[in-house]
Amino acid sequence: MKVLVINSGSSSIKYQLLEPDTATVVASGVVQRIGESVGDGAPTIEHSCDGRTFEHDGPIADHAAGLRLVFELFTESGHDLAAEDLGAVGHRVVHGGEVFYEPTLVTDEVVRAIADLSTLAPLHNPANVTGIESARALLPDVPQVAVFDTAFFHQLPAAAKTYAIDAKTAAAHGIRKYGFHGTSHDYVSHRVAEFLGRDYADINQIVLHLGNGASASAVRGGRAVDTTMGLTPLEGLVMGTRSGDLDPGIIFHLIRAAGMDVGQVDDLLNRDSGLKGLSGVNDFRELGRLIDAGDAAATLAYDVYIHRLRRYIGAYLVALGRVDAITFTAGVGENDARVRADALAGLAGFGIEVDPERNAVRDRSARRISSDGAPVAVLVVPTNEELAIARASAALVG
Ligand code: ADP
C-alpha cells in the first residue's frame, strides 16, 4: 500500500508518495508561490520521481490548481495516482486544538472543525483545509487522514500547559500551551529508544528540533512533559524569522510607542524577527558564512540563538531530573556541528559531553556524538515527518 502525504502551507504544497512499510519514497515534490504572479523563470512545481525531475513553470492560481498540476506530473512520470495502490492520503494539520489528538479520518464534520480552529492558527489551518478539500475532490474514493502537529503534546501536565493569566479569559478563548512539531518529536523520540535499544517508556529525553522553525521538548517515559512552542508556533526558541520568547510588554510598546497595528506586529514577530531580524539572513548556512567573515550582527544573532537554546536545555534537565538522551534533529540540528557543540558546551558536570570528532562526521543516519562513557547519550537523528504521517494514516485505514 502507498500513501500520499500532503503538507499544505499558505503559499506552498509539499508532498510525498511513499510506502509506509518499507519507507520507500516513490515520488516527492513541492509547489511554490501559489497565488503569486511569477515571471522570474524559477519553476513553481518541482516533482522528483525515479531519479528524474519534472518541472512546471508559470503561475498557479490556488491550491486546487496546484494539486491538479501535481496529479498531471504524477501521470507524466509514470505514476497515475488513480491507478496506484493508494491506501490513503495523509494530511499534516498544524492545529488540532483541544478537539483532535489522534490521526483522524476526514469527514465533512472534521473539515469544518479544523476550519473552526483557524482562530488559533490563522496562517496554517485555512491552508490545511484547502489542501484537504482539493485532495478529496481529486481522489474522492481514497480515505483522507488528518495528522495533527499538536497531538503529541495533548497530555502536557497542567502546570506546563497553563498560562498564568485570568483563568476565565483563558478558558473562553482556548488559551493554553498546545505545542507544535509534535509529529517530529514523536517520531524522533521513538527512533531514539530504538537506537539505544531501550524501552520507550523507560527513558527520559530532550529533543531539539532545529529547523527554520525550532522547538524543544522534554519527554519523560514516553510522555511529553514540556515543550517550547505555545498557543502558536511563535513561542520559545529563536527561529529563522520568528522571535520566540519575548516580554509581552514589547507588543504594547510597539503598538503605543511605534504606532504599529496588530497585523504589523504579527508580521514583525513572525516574519521579520529571529535570525533574519538580527542578521538579515534566516538560513543557517548563510549565517555561518557571515560569522566566519567577521560579521558582528550575524555573530550576535548566533549568540542569542545559542543562549536561548541553552536556557531551555537547562530548564528541561531540571524538569526531567534524569536525562538519558539529548537529540538534535531537523535541518540545523542534523547538519550544523557548531550549533550542537555550542548548545552543550561545558556541561560535563551534568554527564553531557560531545565528542568533537563524532560531532564533525557528516552522515544521513542516526548516530551518537557523545563521548564513550558519558552518562547522557547525545544523538543526531534525522526526522521524517512524512514517513510518520504515512504510517499513522496507513495504521488508521488498516
Ligand atoms: P523547516 O522544515 O522548518 O522549513 P528544515 O528542517 O528543513 O526547516 O531546516 C531548514 C534550516 O536548516 C535552514 O535554516 C537551513 O539553513 C538549515 N540547514 C540545512 N542544511 C544545512 C547545513 N548543511 N548546515 C547548516 N544548516 C543547514
Side-chain angles (χ1 to χ4, degrees):
M1 185 219 277
K2 296 190 186 92
V3 176
L4 177 66
V5 174
I6 295 180
N7 180 355
S8 189
S10 54
S11 65
S12 69
I13 305 169
K14 292 184 195 153
Y15 60 90
Q16 264 189 22
L17 178 67
L18 63 164
E19 290 170 7
D21 289 346
T22 59
T24 307
V25 177
V26 179
S28 65
V30 57
V31 186
Q32 296 180 89
R33 294 176 294 156
I34 296 171
E36 292 175 24
S37 58
V38 292
D40 57 6
T44 40
I45 306 183
E46 284 182 83
H47 176 83
S48 306
C49 182
D50 303 324
R52 292 183 299 158
T53 304
F54 301 77
E55 291 180 348
H56 171 85
D57 300 295
I60 295 172
D62 52 27
H63 287 70
L67 265 190
R68 260 197 312 277
L69 288 163
V70 167
F71 279 41
E72 285 170 19
L73 288 171
F74 265 107
T75 307
E76 197 185 343
S77 64
H79 292 274
D80 179 0
L81 284 177
E84 287 279 331
D85 171 27
L86 196 60
V89 181
H91 296 269
R92 176 187 185 209
V93 179
V94 166
H95 218 306
E98 299 272 15
V99 188
F100 298 109
Y101 45 90
E102 299 280 359
T104 303
L105 203 59
V106 171
T107 60
D108 291 341
E109 203 181 359
V110 167
V111 176
R112 269 195 300 277
I114 294 171
D116 286 346
L117 290 166
S118 294
T119 46
L120 290 171
L123 297 178
H124 296 101
N125 274 36
N128 300 153
V129 167
T130 314
I132 291 172
E133 286 182 330
S134 305
R136 285 178 95 196
L138 286 163
L139 293 167
D141 300 326
V142 181
Q144 314 268 326
V145 178
V147 178
F148 297 88
D149 236 27
T150 46
F152 185 61
F153 301 112
H154 174 66
Q155 288 192 309
L156 285 178
K161 73 178 181 191
T162 305
Y163 290 105
I165 66 169
D166 173 66
K168 287 202 190 86
T169 306
H173 297 284
I175 295 172
R176 51 159 276 196
K177 184 186 275 287
Y178 290 95
F180 299 86
H181 289 150
T183 305
S184 177
H185 286 273
D186 189 1
Y187 173 84
V188 168
S189 58
H190 277 90
R191 287 281 296 121
V192 167
E194 264 170 47
F195 182 89
L196 296 176
R198 303 275 303 272
D199 198 336
Y200 188 53
D202 286 345
I203 56 173
N204 294 345
Q205 330 187 21
I206 297 174
V207 178
L208 306 169
H209 176 112
L210 309 178
N212 205 9
S215 62
S217 68
V219 185
R220 181 201 300 284
R223 177 182 167 190
V225 293
D226 209 350
T227 191
T228 53
M229 285 178 166
L231 173 81
T232 74
L234 185 55
E235 192 182 353
L237 301 176
V238 176
M239 307 180 217
T241 65
R242 286 175 237 161
S243 62
D245 294 341
L246 41 76
D247 174 357
I250 292 171
I251 294 169
F252 316 135
H253 187 70
L254 288 170
I255 292 169
R256 292 191 188 118
M260 289 185 168
D261 63 26
V262 173
Q264 287 170 319
V265 177
D266 194 329
D267 271 357
L268 176 80
L269 299 182
N270 275 297
R271 298 182 205 276
D272 295 320
S273 294
L275 298 175
K276 183 179 170 208
L278 290 171
S279 73
V281 300
N282 64 303
D283 189 302
F284 245 89
R285 287 162 290 197
E286 284 179 56
L287 189 78
R289 282 192 282 274
L290 289 173
I291 293 169
D292 293 341
D295 185 289
T299 304
L300 176 63
Y302 180 81
D303 290 347
V304 175
Y305 181 96
I306 294 293
H307 180 84
R308 184 83 51 82
L309 184 56
R310 287 173 65 89
R311 180 189 286 170
Y312 276 108
I313 291 166
Y316 292 171
L317 285 172
V318 172
L320 294 171
R322 188 202 82 224
V323 175
D324 300 290
I326 300 178
T327 305
F328 291 89
T329 192
V332 177
E334 291 167 31
N335 292 298
D336 199 310
R338 170 157 50 182
V339 166
R340 295 192 296 258
D342 289 340
L344 299 178
L347 301 182
F350 296 91
I352 300 164
E353 280 180 65
V354 173
D355 178 274
E357 278 175 26
R358 287 182 185 167
N359 188 33
V361 171
R362 301 193 63 86
D363 192 343
R364 294 290 308 141
S365 53
R367 61 198 188 276
R368 184 193 294 259
I369 59 166
S370 45
S371 314
D372 288 333
V376 179
V378 181
L379 307 178
V380 179
V381 174
T383 191
N384 194 339
E385 287 157 289
E386 291 79 11
L387 179 60
I389 292 171
R391 287 190 171 154
S393 304
L396 186 68
V397 302

